[in-house]
């Protein structure tokens, strides 16, 4: 709270997001929170996206308080390109945290929070009406801390190089100034050149997540070709009007139109100055030749190889809850109840038959693409995403075997 006030920025928490007025998403989230004491992941993330697009967040920035709560949320947030510049984890012994929590008192008239040890009101009238908030008993606090510890050890590795752990078992002013000093520092990029990174791989190989991680760490512009086409249609631009008929017929957009949209994005100043990470194009040798002839030459190319069985396991078991918008995976993130499982829907594009067709098409063209990009690095994408990222990162920061224009 102090940090947000001092920096004149926006503090975003689960509570503030669901309290937003005139938002159907927030109203839906409040209903879930009142009933289940939690907000489904995808609903929470959609609320975040909605809030971060507002002018004050764009102009003044933001601080996420208590978000992400799980590793799944962290991965989804990164995949969507929501990348904090600094991450702070406050750490203190559980005994200290339980003691602090037990001392909380709330004024039912004003909603103001006080503490029996650290912030006791001098007025006897306020003292007499203070109440202990629900859910702060020693047992309940211990259960919440256990859940927190289970999640935080899986969240923190999502933010290498931008994480600082601060000891919170010290005066609040000291904690505040340590946090303030850290967020006012600028991270030096480890990239020794302006990277132009191309990620190739079949559907389900993890290109989007790796692109988001690279964009976060090195400040690159995350350029997803498919997303560019969707945005052009949504913006009703001149290219969007050309693309719309192909979307409606569910047929491939011609290469010359795709290249015009891609060229328009790669020519923008941020891509020129900061570099980019491209995925979703080129998909075959002809597209690679066109991109090369127009001067868009990546200086790092990675191929993510994932076996068909693993891709099928990753994608065909995905399901979406049409009621909440929450996404599940029948193996890695099963629905909580049989009632939810009964109403889950599968995206028709993620059927086994469709995935096999896409995989076959990719591997039919990948040999020629690998030959065209002679300095390409081939990686095993069938492992933990952060292990894959470490291999990609080593391929980026190591010197080039020869100069690439």
């Amino acid at each position: 709270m102090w940090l947000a006030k001092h920096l004149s920025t926006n503090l975003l928490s689960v509570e503030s997001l669901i309290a937003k007025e005139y938002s159907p998403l927030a109203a839906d989230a409040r209903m879930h929170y009142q009933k289940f004491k939690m907000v489904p992941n995808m609903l929470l993330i959609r609320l975040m996206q909605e809030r971060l697009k507002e002018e004050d967040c764009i102009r003044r920035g933001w601080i996420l308080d208590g978000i992400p709560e799980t590793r799944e949320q962290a991965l989804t947030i990164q995949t969507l390109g929501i990348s904090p510049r600094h991450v702070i984890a406050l750490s203190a012994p559980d005994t200290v945290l339980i003691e602090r929590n037990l001392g909380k008192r709330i004024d039912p008239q004003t909603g103001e929070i006080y503490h029996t040890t650290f912030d006791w009101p001098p007025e006897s009238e306020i003292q007499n009406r203070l109440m202990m908030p629900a859910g702060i008993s020693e047992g309940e606090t211990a259960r919440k801390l256990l859940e927190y510890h289970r999640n935080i050890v899986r969240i923190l590795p999502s933010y290498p190089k931008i994480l600082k752990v601060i000891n919170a078992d010290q005066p609040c002013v000291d904690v505040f100034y340590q946090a303030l000093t850290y967020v006012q520092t600028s991270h030096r990029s480890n990239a020794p050149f302006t990277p132009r990174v191309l990620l190739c791989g079949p559907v389900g190989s993890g290109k989007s997540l790796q692109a988001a991680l690279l964009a976060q760490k090195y400040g690159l512009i995350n350029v997803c070709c498919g997303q560019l086409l969707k945005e052009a249609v949504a913006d009703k631009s001149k290219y969007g009007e050309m693309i719309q008929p192909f979307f409606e017929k569910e047929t491939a957009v011609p290469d010359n139109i795709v290249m015009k949209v891609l060229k328009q994005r790669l020519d923008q100043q941020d891509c020129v100055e900061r570099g980019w990470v491209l995925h979703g194009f080129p998909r075959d040798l002809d597209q690679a030749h066109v991109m090369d002839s127009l001067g868009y030459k990546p200086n790092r190319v990675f191929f993510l190889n994932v076996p068909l069985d693993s891709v099928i396991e990753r994608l065909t078991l995905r399901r979406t809850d049409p009621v909440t918008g929450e996404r599940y995976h029948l193996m890695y993130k099963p629905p909580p109840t049989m009632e939810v499982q009964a109403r889950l829907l599968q995206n028709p594009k993620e059927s086994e038959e469709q995935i096999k067709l896409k995989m076959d098409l990719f591997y039919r063209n990948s040999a020629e693409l690998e030959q065209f990009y002679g300095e390409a690095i081939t990686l095993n994408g069938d492992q933990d995403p952060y292990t894959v990222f470490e291999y990609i990162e080593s391929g980026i920061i190591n010197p080039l075997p020869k100069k690439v224009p």
Side-chain angles (χ1 to χ4, degrees):
M1 181 70 77
W2 288 0
L3 204 57
K5 286 182 178 178
H6 186 88
L7 298 172
S8 298
T9 191
N10 298 284
L11 183 67
L12 310 184
S13 63
V14 173
E15 290 76 16
S16 70
L17 289 172
I18 67 176
K20 185 180 176 184
E21 296 181 350
Y22 312 115
S23 167
L25 283 177
D28 193 16
R30 284 194 296 273
M31 180 186 70
H32 277 279
Y33 192 78
Q34 290 165 2
K35 189 173 182 180
F36 303 110
K37 299 302 179 187
M38 55 83 67
V39 180
N41 284 346
M42 288 311 299
L43 182 55
L44 177 62
I45 289 166
R46 286 168 62 197
L47 271 173
M48 278 180 53
Q49 287 181 292
E50 180 182 75
R51 182 69 181 91
L52 294 177
K53 288 177 182 176
E54 294 181 6
E55 185 181 352
D56 60 338
C57 280
I58 294 171
R59 184 164 41 86
R60 291 164 45 205
W62 41 266
I63 295 175
L64 293 180
D65 178 12
I67 306 171
E69 299 174 317
T70 65
R71 184 171 183 266
E72 289 73 22
Q73 285 184 10
L75 292 175
T76 305
I77 288 169
Q78 288 176 325
T79 301
L80 293 173
I82 301 172
S83 304
R85 293 194 182 99
H86 304 83
V87 174
I88 295 174
L90 301 179
S91 176
D94 284 0
T95 51
V96 172
L97 297 175
I98 291 171
E99 182 182 349
R100 287 182 183 176
N101 217 30
L102 289 173
K104 284 182 181 178
R105 296 294 183 272
I106 189 167
D107 184 337
Q109 289 187 13
T110 65
E112 193 75 21
I113 295 177
Y114 295 93
H115 196 278
T116 55
T117 303
F118 307 113
D119 186 22
W120 192 244
E123 302 88 348
S124 58
E125 181 185 354
I126 297 177
Q127 293 176 10
N128 293 333
R129 68 173 182 245
L130 292 184
M131 300 174 63
M132 179 181 286
I136 66 166
S137 69
E138 184 172 349
E140 288 170 307
T141 304
R143 281 194 294 275
K144 290 176 183 176
L145 284 171
L146 180 61
E147 182 68 17
Y148 168 79
H149 290 311
R150 284 174 180 162
N151 285 314
I152 197 67
V153 294
R154 302 178 69 228
I155 293 172
L156 297 186
S158 304
Y159 300 101
K161 307 296 184 184
I162 61 171
L163 170 69
K164 182 175 181 64
V165 179
I166 295 177
N167 174 23
D169 188 16
Q170 54 182 320
C172 293
V173 173
D174 294 342
V175 175
F176 167 70
Y177 279 110
Q178 286 182 47
L180 180 63
T181 301
Y182 179 62
V183 300
Q184 290 179 329
T185 60
S186 296
H187 297 298
R188 291 185 60 187
S189 172
N190 292 326
F193 58 95
T194 302
R196 300 185 298 275
V197 182
L198 174 62
L199 297 179
C200 299
V203 59
S205 59
K207 301 185 295 295
S208 296
L209 175 57
Q210 297 303 325
L213 293 173
L214 287 171
Q216 174 180 289
K217 182 161 185 181
Y218 292 106
L220 309 183
I221 304 303
N222 186 347
V223 182
C224 172
C225 192
Q227 188 62 32
L228 287 181
L229 300 181
K230 292 176 185 176
E231 289 173 0
V233 172
D235 294 341
K236 297 182 179 178
S237 66
K238 64 175 182 178
Y239 294 134
E241 292 175 0
M242 299 166 66
I243 296 166
Q244 181 70 39
F246 297 99
F247 274 20
E248 290 173 352
K249 296 175 185 175
E250 296 189 352
T251 57
V253 179
D255 290 352
N256 64 321
I257 299 177
V258 175
M259 199 62 230
K260 286 176 183 176
V261 176
L262 186 59
K263 182 179 187 301
Q264 185 180 58
R265 184 66 187 94
L266 296 180
D267 284 345
Q268 290 181 21
Q269 195 66 24
D270 57 351
C271 280
V272 174
E273 290 183 352
R274 293 162 54 189
W276 41 261
V277 51
L278 172 65
H279 50 112
F281 192 93
R283 296 175 183 269
D284 58 42
L285 186 59
D286 289 340
Q287 292 177 350
H289 276 300
V290 171
M291 200 170 94
D292 188 75
S293 68
L294 293 174
Y296 303 106
K297 303 175 188 288
N299 50 25
R300 290 292 189 277
V301 181
F302 298 92
F303 281 83
L304 305 180
N305 278 346
V306 181
L308 174 62
D309 289 349
S310 295
V311 171
I312 288 175
E313 182 182 283
R314 289 182 185 184
L315 301 186
T316 61
L317 299 181
R318 287 179 181 173
R319 297 291 187 272
T320 302
D321 185 340
V323 176
T324 65
E326 183 78 0
R327 298 187 70 179
Y328 295 98
H329 190 281
L330 298 183
M331 180 175 293
Y332 303 122
K333 187 189 173 187
T337 66
M338 292 300 293
E339 180 187 356
V340 174
Q341 182 166 338
R343 66 177 184 239
L344 296 183
L345 299 176
Q346 181 183 32
N347 186 333
K349 294 181 180 179
E350 293 180 346
S351 68
E352 185 170 335
E353 182 181 355
Q354 289 292 317
I355 290 168
K356 285 181 177 178
L357 287 173
K358 291 177 182 177
M359 288 280 288
D360 181 59
L361 181 61
F362 171 79
Y363 282 114
R364 265 191 279 150
N365 294 314
S366 64
E368 290 182 330
L369 278 176
E370 287 186 48
Q371 189 173 1
F372 181 79
Y373 295 113
E375 301 293 343
I377 299 172
T378 301
L379 301 173
N380 172 21
D382 190 22
Q383 49 188 327
D384 181 86
Y386 292 101
T387 302
V388 176
F389 177 69
E390 288 175 3
Y391 282 115
I392 292 176
E393 186 180 26
S394 68
I396 288 178
I397 64 177
N398 289 335
L400 284 166
K402 63 180 181 182
K403 187 172 182 179
V404 175

